[in-house]
Amino acid sequence: MNHLVVAPVLLPLLAAIGLLLMRPLPLGVRRALSAGAVAAQAALAVMLLAATRDGTIMTYALGDWPAPFGIILVADALAAWMVVITTVLALTAVLYASRGDDGSGRHFHVLFQLQLFGLNGAFLTGDLFNLFVFFEILLLASYGLLLHGGGPLRTRGGLHFVVLNLAGSTLFLFAVGTLYGVLGTLNMAHLARRMASVGPDDAGLVQAAGLLLFGVFALKAALLPVYLWLPRAYAHTSAPVAALFAIMTKVGAYSILRLDTLIFGAAGGASAHLLAPWLLPLALATAVVGMLGVAGGTLLRRQVAYLVVASVGFLLTAVGLGSVEGIAAGLYYLPHSTFAAAALFLLADSIASRRGALADHLVPGGAMSDPRLLGALFLVAAVLIAGLPPLSGFVGKFLILQAALGHPALPWVMAVLLGTSLLAVIALARSGSVLFYRAELVAAPPGEDQGRGAMGRLGRELAPAVALLLLCGALVAWAGAAHEHTHGMALQLMNPELYMEAVLGPASRSGP
Amino acid sequence: MELLVALIIGVLTACGVYLVLRRRSFPVVLGLTMLSYGVNLFLFAMGRLTIGRPAVIQADAAGYADPLPQALVLTAIVISFAMTAFVIVLALKARSELDTDHVDGRGES
């Protein structure tokens, strides 16, 4: 049994407890500890990625209880990929927060580590009820982070977020209960194996539970009818939290992908491909509505929040194609969209902090300091997320379109993907010109801004966003290797027997 | 017994859904509580309704009650309890910051 699998889950929990006890220490020490813990998690995640690269599926039985009886952690290529994306994103977010956002309330770093505990756990767990528990952990931490710093706007957005997610948790439990009542297990591999032998009498119940689960995950992923909580909550929270939350919707997308390929995959018996008729239309509609939100946005941060909605639409469009190529394209698009959205959240905060009372309202205002640098970074981020060549957004969307060739819904996918990209270009070009070109050309006040200290401060402020953009650049530079890796991941996902064998052993004994 | 338990779960859930859709935050919190009661009973019933059966091994037992849903319910109760506490505090905070207990933060109307 390899302890590497449990390490990314344990480390943030221990770090959170440690940070809670170190409250009397100065903030600088706690910042360093928190950032160190996140960096260590990122290192562990990369080790996990390297260990699962060749298609190995590592399992870890907690308390050494054998598979269907105890709770099990499973690290396959997808889980490792998600943990890497999460921890790398978290590293930039914690560095940005250490500039001062973490001082506006108590326990920022504790909540941050607990959030990572929930996220890493949700990706690595192989048990449906355990997934529920990790969801609750990451949600409870996210409630705290969302409201961090206070203010009426945050409270109002936060109340919707909390109430909707609590209702979602209830639905999750109903679905879990129904699945347990029919199938008698909650281990995901075991569920998948038993799906094949569900009789026609019980198929309806299982399908109802499956669709309930889909509804819950769609709520977390902010899919079409249930995305309304996201823009307000994300637009008004603090920048590092919004950047970290770029991965939160992807947890829902990840769970949908797991559900779709493992439990209701090709081997699902009477309920095989249960989600297929729902996933693609809803994903396409989400992309359209999200981009309309971007086009109609009057606040930069709300525009970015809608970009997150639209990116989930693209991601699930790729998954909804139901082919190896589609899933591979989606998994390539996932880190790109996460990093680009997070970078835009950070840049939007930098821009808003330079415009005084106007903040991020999209109206022409006075000149801001450092317009060239910020403008250039905004341009790069906008090109990335709108999917213009030559950056990773283009490669991601190209792969999705390529995977859609031959799919019956090709005209729809093509129309939505290309039309929304055009909308994104128009909307972001308008925002950029309002923010940077139509600003009054007043020379920035000379004097105290020019010192070396100011340069250092500027560097510390923009370094996380630049790092995120560079990561997207790396996704282009090594696009071949990255796509090969996601292709291997998709092959592994489309063959759920591999997952079941890794967890439960060979299927030869005719069902326990 | 099945009918009674099913009715209780159904009524609790229906009341919960109705209350969650109200526009004041207090009924919404009550509704979430009722929903969590409903779902806890539902989880419990998913281990099948049995009476007088031991959950742990006994030499002379004719059959066993399923212990897993009991463990699940225990976890779910703890989580929903914590969540309810949190949402009450949040609703109070919203009441004092927005000067209204409307869930959208709108004024009296």
Side-chain angles (χ1 to χ4, degrees):
Chain A
M1 204 151 56
N2 194 334
H3 294 284
L4 182 60
V5 182
V6 76
V9 185
L10 272 185
L11 183 62
L13 178 63
L14 295 177
I17 296 171
L19 283 164
L20 193 60
L21 297 176
M22 288 174 206
R23 186 86 211 299
L25 289 165
L27 189 55
V29 178
R30 283 182 281 144
R31 272 175 189 162
L33 274 171
S34 181
V38 179
Q41 286 164 48
L44 284 171
V46 171
M47 281 162 70
L48 206 56
L49 185 74
T52 55
R53 206 179 141 70
D54 55 353
T56 323
I57 298 178
M58 296 198 285
T59 59
Y60 186 89
L62 292 167
D64 212 8
W65 285 90
F69 305 111
I71 289 174
I72 199 155
L73 297 180
V74 185
D76 63 349
L78 174 65
W81 185 242
M82 298 302 296
V83 174
V84 168
I85 297 168
T86 308
T87 49
V88 170
L89 179 71
L91 190 57
T92 61
V94 78
L95 288 179
Y96 191 87
S98 296
R99 288 173 48 252
D101 287 313
D102 57 350
S104 59
R106 273 185 276 178
H107 301 312
F108 177 89
H109 290 291
V110 177
L111 290 169
F112 196 89
Q113 297 291 339
L114 284 176
Q115 171 91 60
L116 287 174
F117 171 53
L119 284 167
N120 292 347
F123 292 134
L124 287 171
T125 187
D127 184 279
L128 201 57
F129 194 79
N130 202 222
L131 181 67
F132 165 76
V133 174
F134 277 121
F135 260 99
E136 294 306 304
I137 291 169
L138 78 89
L139 284 173
L140 198 46
S142 76
Y143 302 154
L145 283 176
L146 189 75
L147 296 166
H148 187 82
L153 284 172
R154 277 180 202 172
T155 306
R156 194 162 61 172
L159 189 63
H160 290 184
F161 181 70
V162 173
V163 169
L164 272 174
N165 275 305
L166 283 181
S169 306
T170 312
L171 284 183
F172 198 157
L173 280 179
F174 273 117
V176 164
T178 312
L179 277 180
Y180 181 77
V182 178
L183 296 168
T185 180
L186 287 171
N187 182 301
M188 293 203 272
H190 205 195
L191 278 174
R193 192 161 275 177
R194 287 201 173 170
M195 280 301 294
S197 53
V198 174
D201 290 349
D202 291 335
L205 269 176
V206 170
Q207 286 168 13
L211 287 175
L212 261 182
L213 276 181
F214 175 59
V216 176
F217 297 149
L219 174 72
K220 316 281 180 201
L223 214 55
L224 178 62
V226 281
Y227 71 95
L228 290 163
W229 56 269
L230 188 143
R232 191 180 267 173
Y234 279 32
H236 295 302
T237 187
S238 62
V241 174
L244 181 66
F245 280 11
I247 194 77
M248 286 259 291
T249 54
K250 308 303 190 285
V251 183
Y254 160 85
S255 310
I256 289 175
L257 179 57
R258 230 354 141 216
L259 192 67
D260 187 37
T261 54
L262 182 63
I263 300 177
F264 296 103
S271 314
H273 303 301
L274 176 69
L275 308 183
W278 300 91
L279 196 50
L280 193 57
L282 283 178
L284 287 172
T286 308
V288 172
V289 171
M291 249 353 148
L292 286 177
V294 176
T298 53
L299 289 167
L300 183 57
R301 277 182 289 190
R302 187 164 292 193
Q303 274 194 322
V304 184
Y306 272 111
L307 281 170
V308 173
V309 175
S311 76
V312 169
F314 296 139
L315 173 60
L316 288 176
T317 300
V319 172
L321 292 173
S323 61
V324 171
E325 282 72 27
I327 293 174
L331 291 175
Y332 177 85
Y333 185 75
L334 195 153
H336 146 75
S337 66
T338 310
F339 293 151
L344 264 176
F345 271 123
L346 297 183
L347 285 176
D349 187 56
S350 292
I351 292 169
S353 69
R354 282 173 172 69
R355 282 163 52 94
L358 282 179
D360 60 342
H361 286 269
L362 291 174
V363 288
M368 60 181 101
S369 53
D370 319 304
R372 286 195 190 83
L373 190 54
L374 276 176
L377 288 177
F378 181 81
L379 175 72
V380 173
V383 165
L384 261 175
I385 205 143
L388 293 180
L391 297 181
S392 55
F394 169 73
V395 180
K397 284 187 182 169
F398 179 76
L399 287 172
I400 295 175
L401 281 179
Q402 201 180 30
L405 293 176
H407 192 277
L410 174 68
W412 289 99
V413 177
M414 205 144 222
V416 167
L417 229 64
L418 298 178
T420 52
S421 298
L422 179 67
L423 259 182
V425 172
I426 295 171
L428 290 169
R430 195 198 54 173
S431 307
S433 71
V434 166
L435 288 172
F436 295 103
Y437 285 165
R438 289 170 61 196
E440 289 159 34
L441 289 174
V442 189
E448 79 260 61
D449 252 22
Q450 306 298 324
R452 179 171 276 175
M455 283 304 290
R457 214 174 312 125
L458 186 66
R460 270 215 306 284
E461 177 180 349
L462 294 179
V466 173
L468 286 168
L469 295 179
L470 284 178
L471 278 170
C472 290
L475 272 175
V476 184
W478 287 279
H483 183 245
E484 203 176 303
H485 186 61
T486 60
H487 197 265
M489 228 184 285
L491 279 175
Q492 193 181 48
L493 282 172
M494 291 302 265
N495 189 359
E497 196 53 43
L498 293 173
Y499 188 98
M500 293 182 228
E501 261 176 39
V503 176
L504 298 172
S508 53
R509 55 198 169 110
S510 57
Chain B
M1 188 162 70
E2 278 81 1
L3 183 69
L4 194 61
V5 171
L7 269 178
I8 293 172
I9 296 172
V11 169
L12 274 175
T13 312
C15 293
V17 169
Y18 175 75
L19 287 173
V20 164
L21 296 174
R22 304 289 290 174
R23 60 185 168 154
R24 305 268 163 224
S25 51
F26 182 64
V28 171
V29 174
L30 273 188
L32 287 171
T33 318
M34 287 216 171
L35 274 178
S36 71
Y37 288 161
V39 79
N40 287 343
L41 273 177
F42 177 78
L43 273 182
F44 206 67
M46 277 301 116
R48 305 293 185 266
L49 299 171
T50 48
I51 292 175
R53 297 266 173 88
V56 284
I57 293 171
Q58 232 174 52
D60 54 345
Y64 296 103
D66 190 345
L68 192 73
Q70 303 175 13
L72 300 186
V73 167
L74 205 57
T75 317
I77 288 174
V78 173
I79 290 177
S80 70
F81 204 71
M83 292 295 181
T84 309
F86 182 83
V87 80
I88 287 175
V89 172
L90 184 60
L92 283 174
K93 186 173 145 77
R95 169 78 181 79
S96 68
E97 279 187 0
L98 307 170
D99 264 337
T100 166
D101 62 347
H102 193 288
V103 287
D104 286 336
R106 287 202 217 114
E108 303 296 319
S109 61

